[in-house]
Amino acid sequence: MTEADFLQLPDLAARSLGGAVVFANDEFFASRENLISPGAPDFDPSEFGHKGKVYDGWETRRRREPGHDFAVVRLGVPGVVEGVVIDTAWFTGNYPPFASVDGVDLVGYPTDQELLDAPWEPVLERVALKGDTANAFAVNDDRRWTHLRLNIFPDGGVARFRVHGHARPDPAFLTGTIDLAALENGGDVVACSNGFYSSPRNIIGLGRSRHMGEGWENARRRDDGNDYVVIRLAGQGCVDHVEIDTSYFVGNAPGAARLSGIPNEDAMSDESSWAELVPRTALLPDCRHRFRVDSPTPVEFVRLDVYPDGGIARLRVSGRLT
Ligand SMILES: NC(=O)NC(NC(N)=O)C(=O)[O-]
């Protein structure tokens, strides 16, 4: 997969998806947790703390004995990695010249010691890094990982670690009525008309949005069309009910919305094969709308049309996998 392609995939390590940096052998200058902070790293040239220059990243001390430093990330959702970004933003005289990434697929909730003793496998062989650069590397490996270990050689600072890939949640928890669209269950956005202000992927994220920026907001439409988003569900399923949430979109909620679905990818291009799940319905601003769905047809893709444009906080598609 090309860099341009894998950067479009979700970041499985993101804090917003439940990712965490659970261990680092050293974090003397700057905390490991910064590795998965949202957004671009900050830098204030005048900011110094008790231990030295303050960095928005993970930074170890200058190593005086053999070995190398490492940090362990628990993915928010286990998954297959298509590419990683090892971003050394603002680290110039102190970036690690080399890095590698290992992975492991563990059951349950491993302790630090269990992580240290785990059977780590190479995911990305040792690569050279540039300083103050978002170093992106494609990964060609279809194994599923729950944890990744970022190794830096020999020491230094990394601002962000992004892990782009496909979610592969544990099927044992995909039983009964679940949110078939949720990113954590394996749903993902596959097409969108316009994500000018914020990503359409936000609408299938964890929990409720806390402000307008945590939803999907397109630009004001100046033609006769309408905006839409297409989601590949966790698998083919029968939809029971739907939530279309316009929370925090007060002056810019859609006037109306419609939800339709198709049973598989082959039907995507045939307009007539899209079955109506929720007919075109007027929406209120800043409101969670719930609709019962009365359709026996299983669907694998849903399309949310908004008329003519406007923001959506969340889309929940509750149903059972077939
Ligand atoms: N100016 C620095 O960044 N120096 C040191 N780092 C911090 N954070 O102070 C170092 O040795 O890498």
Side-chain angles (χ1 to χ4, degrees), residues 28-30 43 47-49 51-55 59-62 64 90-95 155-157:
F28 181 87
F29 280 121
F43 186 71
E47 197 182 1
F48 287 83
K51 288 183 176 164
K53 180 79 202 71
V54 172
Y55 284 92
E59 189 191 358
T60 65
R61 77 193 82 197
R62 296 186 187 205
R64 300 304 182 210
W90 305 111
F91 290 100
T92 50
N94 49 359
Y95 68 94
D155 59 22

Side-chain angles (χ1 to χ4, degrees), residues 30-202:
S31 300
R32 64 182 196 263
E33 287 85 355
N34 292 323
L35 278 174
I36 58 165
S37 294
D42 290 332
F43 186 71
D44 175 353
S46 66
E47 197 182 1
F48 287 83
H50 291 296
K51 288 183 176 164
K53 180 79 202 71
V54 172
Y55 284 92
D56 181 6
W58 165 55
E59 189 191 358
T60 65
R61 77 193 82 197
R62 296 186 187 205
R63 186 168 263 282
R64 300 304 182 210
E65 64 285 326
H68 71 273
D69 295 323
F70 62 93
V72 176
V73 175
R74 183 191 68 221
L75 301 179
V77 189
V80 173
V81 179
E82 295 281 358
V84 297
V85 179
I86 304 171
D87 185 354
T88 55
W90 305 111
F91 290 100
T92 50
N94 49 359
Y95 68 94
F98 301 97
S100 69
V101 178
D102 301 321
V104 70
D105 185 6
L106 296 173
V107 177
Y109 308 96
T111 61
D112 288 356
Q113 195 56 52
E114 285 167 336
L115 287 170
L116 291 173
D117 297 340
W120 294 95
E121 299 274 350
V123 175
L124 177 71
E125 300 290 350
R126 189 171 155 131
V127 286
L129 299 182
K130 292 187 184 133
D132 198 18
T133 298
N135 298 274
F137 304 98
V139 170
N140 190 10
D141 187 324
D142 56 11
R143 288 174 293 176
R144 169 196 196 258
W145 311 112
T146 56
H147 296 76
L148 291 187
R149 181 170 67 186
L150 171 63
N151 306 301
I152 55 172
F153 302 93
D155 59 22
V158 176
R160 296 286 187 269
F161 182 48
R162 307 293 190 209
V163 180
H164 296 280
H166 307 285
R168 293 281 182 273
D170 184 345
F173 297 97
L174 301 180
T175 55
T177 299
I178 58 164
D179 180 359
L180 298 167
L183 204 49
E184 64 168 334
N185 289 336
D188 199 9
V189 170
V190 293
C192 177
S193 56
N194 182 300
F196 186 86
Y197 285 111
S198 46
S199 169
R201 195 171 272 131
N202 288 342

